[in-house]
Amino acid sequence: MSNIVAFVEGYICLGGKLHKRSLYVDVKKGCIVDGREVKAYEIYNLHGQIIAPAFLELQTNGCAGFHFTNFETPESYQAQLKAVSRYLVSTGVGSFWATIPTVSPKVFKKVLPSLKPQSFVNGAELLGAHCEGPWLNPAKKGAHDAALMQVPESTDINDIYGAENLRSCIKMVTVAPELAGSSKLISSLRQNLRMVVSMGHSQADYDTGIKALETGASTITHVFNAMEPLNHRNPGLAGLISSPHKPYYSIIADGIHLHPAIVAMAYRANPERCILITDSVEMAGKPDGVYPGHAQVPHMQRKVGNRVTIEGTDTLIGSCIGLDECVRNLASFSGCSLAEAIRCATENIANLMGLYDRGVLAPGRRADLVMLDAQGHVKDVWIKGRKVA
């Protein structure tokens, strides 16, 4: 019996285009191989389906009933992470970063040790943490707790996150670049700790954003949301997406955080830098209803469809959309092809995060795969050459 599986009679998604050709996977090694070097293989007939890299979820606060700030014991936290990883697979996700919003240093230090990169049986792989805070602007707090926000000039990153967590699990930090001391912080995070630095929850103007990019920032967190609006004379951070500096930028294509026309405009600004995120909260994958709060949002929360608000108000907390639906929405909202939308959930994220072992269907990369129908609905998911969903 051969270790090689040939995926045939389908379309390979690569570089934002669909290619009518076969894909070869060594299921024992869990990686894609060059078909020209294969002598024997088993056939997997795609019957016209699309095969793409499994999606990369860059920003999720939780799902399947679990918010990443909720910590009781290491054992219970681990069990919840397993449930999250299995839910994410159902949305086509093969790898994810857990987002920790603005919480106290005590909570950061309690939660982060459990978010080291790790694998789960039949689930998406955790690649580390994205800390969205605490160096954010209270005037653009969104659903974050402004009382817990800090100014870089008067804080030490070791005191906030813990020295070991900086080395072992934090891969990305969102910072408001206009805050005092932010330039030094951004430089330290990028140059000394090799983290990806994003700009967000900010009142920064365009020139301050340019300075941050030159200092070491490389992306913008959920562009248009929690920042100054795009103005024809004062473009703010949102104006950077079409600038010669070409930052990466994430969008939430749920039709709630952004109007479909704005999603289309953002995508068209730079398709090779546009990144799809869900920014999902823990009610993703759960029925509509009222749910308790947590360390980030100490209020009851109401879920109706993909929208979650503070109970009794219209204050938006977050979305419950899946990344597969974001992909379909981007194609629908912008008129781009499904393959172009898939690139925003795979290759673009891999390039931003410096991942060279996944995110692209190329020989030597991990065989983390998602099979989709022509409309972008998830049919099968493979992790490291093994079918898991």
Side-chain angles (χ1 to χ4, degrees), residues 66-82:
F66 181 60
H67 194 281
F68 296 127
T69 62
N70 280 348
F71 187 93
E72 295 178 356
T73 67
E75 295 76 19
S76 64
Y77 200 92
Q78 189 70 15
Q80 296 280 18
L81 283 178
K82 289 179 181 178

Side-chain angles (χ1 to χ4, degrees), residues 303-321:
K303 177 184 183 293
V304 179
N306 282 334
R307 180 189 293 268
V308 179
T309 56
I310 294 175
E311 171 68 354
T313 77
D314 293 325
T315 302
L316 181 65
I317 294 172
S319 179
C320 293
I321 195 168

Side-chain angles (χ1 to χ4, degrees), residues 79-154:
Q80 296 280 18
L81 283 178
K82 289 179 181 178
V84 164
S85 74
R86 289 172 183 170
Y87 167 76
L88 287 173
V89 159
S90 73
T91 67
V93 171
S95 304
F96 70 104
W97 292 263
T99 297
I100 303 299
T102 302
V103 291
S104 68
K106 180 180 179 181
V107 174
F108 274 125
K109 292 175 184 177
K110 184 183 292 185
V111 168
L112 286 170
S114 295
L115 296 176
K116 293 181 177 70
Q118 57 194 284
S119 300
F120 303 95
V121 176
N122 295 332
E125 184 170 335
L126 173 62
L127 298 182
H130 165 203
C131 291
E132 192 184 14
W135 300 290
L136 309 178
N137 192 320
K140 294 294 181 181
K141 64 184 180 66
H144 292 239
D145 188 343
L148 297 175
M149 291 180 179
Q150 307 277 356
V151 177
E153 189 175 60
S154 58

Side-chain angles (χ1 to χ4, degrees), residues 144-173:
H144 292 239
D145 188 343
L148 297 175
M149 291 180 179
Q150 307 277 356
V151 177
E153 189 175 60
S154 58
T155 53
D156 182 275
I157 56 176
N158 293 292
D159 294 337
I160 298 295
Y161 297 141
E164 175 57 28
N165 295 323
L166 288 165
R167 291 189 294 268
S168 64
C169 65
I170 303 173
K171 307 301 179 183
M172 178 174 173
V173 176

